Amino acid sequence: MNRRELLALLGTITALPRSALAQQSNATRRLGVLSVTADEVISQTRLAEALAAHGWKERDNLKVDWRSGAGDRAPLARLADELIALKPDILLAIGTPSVDELCQRTATIPIVFAVITDPVSQGFVKNLAHPGGNITGFTDYDGPLAGKWLEMLTQITPPVRRVFVVYNPATAPFAPLMLRTIEDAARTLGVTVEPAPVHDAASIAALASRKDGGLLVLPDFFTMANRAHLLAAIHEARLPAMFWSRTFVDEGGLMSYSTDTAEQLRRAASYIDRILRGAQAADLPVQNPTKFELAINLKTAKAIGVTIPASLLATANDVIE
């Protein structure tokens, strides 16, 4: 073989992976999405926009199969089976129960998660920097956040000395972690904390009978899906409440201090993009939230007879008057 023939052969070998990569990039890829929440909270439109920013467009080079439990834990197992049967290239899990169901069904399909609390303690990843396995993503909670919720709630006038912590154990298995943080903060703040689990319309309605104290609603897609009933009970009780999502404040809740769910989807889309282009989930670190928003509804404050201190109003991202 002469020099010219050798160079031609090397050029052919070098071109093969590039050609294969081009064919792969032109092929339609499949994304399965399992969400425990209602679609209006984490919308398909938002996800589509976030993916399109990275060049992944439905009816072009991406097929998205979306399954939602609409705030109910019960159907997630069946919906997870449906998604796995479709043999997606990658999965997006929104909410802790969604991650749990998908992890039980595959150790090979890459999973990106969003709106998850403490994935290490829940056993989803080995650690944040090196998650290992087939899963990585973005959390909506860092350690001090639960204590911050309680601290803000105790700053209003008249002072709150007793706080009921609202969550559904079935959809918020991470609640004990948050409760420990809240109880630690409560000792410093001089308040009493009492769990107030809810699981159906009747237990939500029972919150209206609590007439002394305040309410702290933990991140839980059950409470989001049932927020109309929850807000009605809280308004009947005329108690101040701190929420985990701005959506509650827009609909009449007093205060929320939360991550931006749209930002969560944008960040998740960036990992989906990287994995579809060849990155390994195990090599992408789990990332904690970097942006928090405080929203306050002064109309609600006036209606229930409480005063929000000027120091807290000054730090709010949005004040509804």
Side-chain angles (χ1 to χ4, degrees), residues 8 21 24 27 47 64 95-96 108 135 154 161 168 172 174 187 189 197 226 254 317:
L21 181 61
Q24 183 182 28
L47 178 61
V64 179
T96 294
T108 56
I135 182 169
T154 59
R161 296 303 179 203
N168 183 342
F174 46 79
R187 285 189 284 271
L189 296 167
N226 293 276
L254 180 63
N317 299 88

Side-chain angles (χ1 to χ4, degrees), residues 234-240 252-254 297-308 320-321:
I234 292 172
H235 291 164
E236 184 178 344
R238 294 180 59 81
L239 295 181
L254 180 63
N297 192 321
L298 286 182
K299 182 179 178 181
T300 298
K302 182 178 179 180
I304 64 175
V306 301
T307 301
I308 308 295
I320 299 173
E321 301 188 62

Side-chain angles (χ1 to χ4, degrees), residues 80-165:
D81 285 337
E82 290 180 9
L83 285 177
I84 297 298
L86 294 172
K87 299 181 179 179
D89 297 288
I90 189 168
L91 292 158
L92 171 63
I94 302 172
T96 294
S98 298
V99 181
D100 185 33
E101 293 294 345
L102 291 176
C103 283
Q104 292 181 41
R105 287 162 174 78
T106 180
T108 56
I109 302 173
I111 300 171
V112 175
F113 58 71
V115 200
I116 301 299
T117 298
D118 196 5
V120 176
S121 291
Q122 296 194 79
F124 298 140
V125 298
K126 294 179 180 177
N127 59 64
L128 300 185
H130 304 285
N134 64 319
I135 182 169
T136 187
F138 300 86
T139 75
D140 67 341
Y141 175 82
D142 64 1
L145 183 57
K148 188 72 172 178
W149 288 326
L150 187 65
E151 179 186 353
M152 290 180 174
L153 190 56
T154 59
Q155 289 180 37
I156 68 172
T157 305
V160 173
R161 296 303 179 203
R162 187 181 186 190
V163 175
F164 304 102
V165 183

Side-chain angles (χ1 to χ4, degrees), residues 154-271:
T154 59
Q155 289 180 37
I156 68 172
T157 305
V160 173
R161 296 303 179 203
R162 187 181 186 190
V163 175
F164 304 102
V165 183
V166 180
Y167 62 97
N168 183 342
T171 52
F174 46 79
L177 165 73
M178 292 186 174
L179 279 168
R180 287 194 294 271
T181 302
I182 293 168
E183 288 165 354
D184 288 343
R187 285 189 284 271
T188 301
L189 296 167
V191 298
T192 300
V193 170
E194 181 180 325
V198 293
H199 57 275
D200 57 16
S203 56
I204 291 174
L207 295 174
S209 65
R210 301 180 186 269
K211 301 296 185 183
D212 179 24
L215 295 129
L216 197 167
V217 181
L218 295 186
D220 180 354
F221 288 124
F222 173 84
T223 57
M224 177 62 76
N226 293 276
R227 64 188 179 278
H229 297 300
L230 182 60
L231 287 168
I234 292 172
H235 291 164
E236 184 178 344
R238 294 180 59 81
L239 295 181
M242 168 64 78
F243 298 92
W244 63 276
S245 171
R246 164 65 188 271
T247 302
F248 289 92
V249 177
D250 289 337
E251 297 180 11
L254 180 63
M255 293 191 299
S256 67
Y257 187 62
S258 62
T259 57
D260 183 346
T261 54
E263 178 66 14
Q264 285 261 310
L265 278 189
R266 284 192 291 270
R267 299 175 80 193
S270 71
Y271 270 15

